[in-house]
Amino acid sequence: MKPANALFAGLVFGLGLLISGMADPARVLGFLTPLQGWNPTLAFVMGGALAVAAPLFALARRRGKALDGGILPDLPRRGVDRALIGGSVLFGLGWGLAGICPGPGIVGLALHPLQALAFLVPMALGLVLGQPRKDGASGKKTR
Amino acid sequence: MSIITPAIGPALAGGALIGLVCGTMWLVHGRISGIAGIARLALQGPDRVWRLWFLAGLFAAGLIARLAWPHDLAPGYASLGWLQLIVAGALVGTGTALANGCTSGHGICGLSRLSSRSLVAVVTFMAVAAITASILAALA
């Protein structure tokens, strides 16, 4: 992918986060507290996103390959496993704690740099160190 | 329509932009626009270059908002403590690495692909996040 295309895609994605309200932790926490003055509008972010994305994914599935001639990688066929559930629980704890998920965290770097860095540096460490081991079911270190 | 509250329109429009990027990146390039995955592989590779440019685009969006918009679009940062930010970041990074996806990767791309794994992930992290945020709000 050309750098300009990737930059533009990231820019549009980021503007979407900003316009929708997802970039504001207070809005996210307002959405995540349904019994304490619920602000349901962020449900429409996912609704709007899926309404546009799902038909494009369906079109790609029908074509069988990407428009640039590349392959459409297979889904992981691992099924639901402990890493998926445990990881989602940890992610949910973190998201509920501060109202920031990865995309808004990076957008936030331009808006509140110090606070965003305090979130992003440990996030980066977690991303690198937290991956499930692909081989060796015992989980022992291979190198 | 006059029934919708002012915030629903922007939420739908912003969501549509996010969905447009996710759908187009998959249809055109065969790439999943999950930000946790993009960030992890930008750090570790392979194919770091386009991922770094994508993340630069996210940052540029924030910069544009900061320079061009008259008010703060993320005022909630001001009420978060440092320890809260650090612990949340570590949990979000570790959790999305383990689960192989975040709000965008599982929530938009995965659900658009009709992945049952992603559906389980989304229900799990939404429920846990709502419980966590509600308990903290009750204690505050």
Side-chain angles (χ1 to χ4, degrees):
Chain A
M1 191 184 323
K2 288 179 190 152
N5 290 353
L7 179 72
F8 184 67
L11 179 69
V12 175
F13 195 113
L15 292 176
L17 289 173
L18 287 156
I19 292 167
S20 66
M22 280 292 292
D24 180 16
R27 284 282 296 278
V28 175
L29 292 177
F31 173 68
L32 291 173
T33 48
L35 305 179
Q36 295 134 309
W38 193 34
N39 181 347
T41 50
L42 291 193
F44 292 89
V45 183
M46 181 165 265
L50 288 176
V52 175
L56 295 171
F57 275 80
L59 182 60
R61 177 186 295 239
R62 193 180 304 177
R63 283 180 45 87
K65 63 179 186 201
L67 286 175
D68 71 0
I71 57 157
L72 296 172
D74 285 329
L75 275 170
R77 287 288 169 204
R78 283 182 290 150
V80 174
D81 56 14
R82 273 163 55 184
L84 183 81
I85 302 283
S88 296
V89 168
L90 292 180
F91 172 39
L93 284 169
W95 195 32
L97 177 59
I100 309 169
C101 57
I106 293 164
V107 172
L109 195 54
L111 298 168
H112 294 272
L114 289 179
Q115 282 90 344
L117 268 182
F119 176 88
L120 288 173
V121 172
M123 183 186 97
L125 283 172
L127 281 173
V128 172
L129 300 175
Q131 288 174 82
R133 302 193 188 287
K134 297 249 161 50
D135 45 22
S138 66
K140 70 178 179 189
K141 286 189 184 131
T142 50
R143 68 189 190 108
Chain B
M1 306 280 267
S2 59
I3 304 167
I4 59 172
T5 71
I8 290 178
L12 273 174
L17 287 180
I18 296 166
L20 183 64
V21 173
C22 292
T24 306
M25 288 280 284
W26 180 249
L27 177 64
V28 177
H29 297 295
R31 297 293 192 180
I32 290 293
S33 306
I35 307 304
I38 289 178
R40 180 172 72 75
L41 294 170
L43 291 166
Q44 296 188 304
D47 291 335
R48 296 179 64 187
V49 174
W50 77 263
R51 294 188 165 97
L52 287 167
W53 281 106
F54 188 101
L55 298 179
L58 284 179
F59 177 76
L63 216 51
I64 289 170
R66 180 172 183 154
L67 297 175
W69 208 252
H71 55 260
D72 187 356
L73 284 173
Y77 277 92
S79 42
L80 298 173
W82 296 108
L83 187 63
Q84 195 177 4
L85 287 161
I86 291 167
V87 173
L91 287 167
V92 168
T94 309
T96 55
L98 267 176
N100 202 26
C102 60
T103 341
S104 48
H106 281 308
I108 299 167
C109 298
L111 293 185
S112 290
R113 291 176 82 170
L114 310 175
S115 157
S116 52
R117 268 174 60 84
S118 289
L119 182 61
V120 170
V122 172
V123 170
T124 304
F125 69 64
M126 293 277 280
V128 172
I131 292 167
T132 305
S134 297
I135 290 173
L136 289 172
L139 294 175

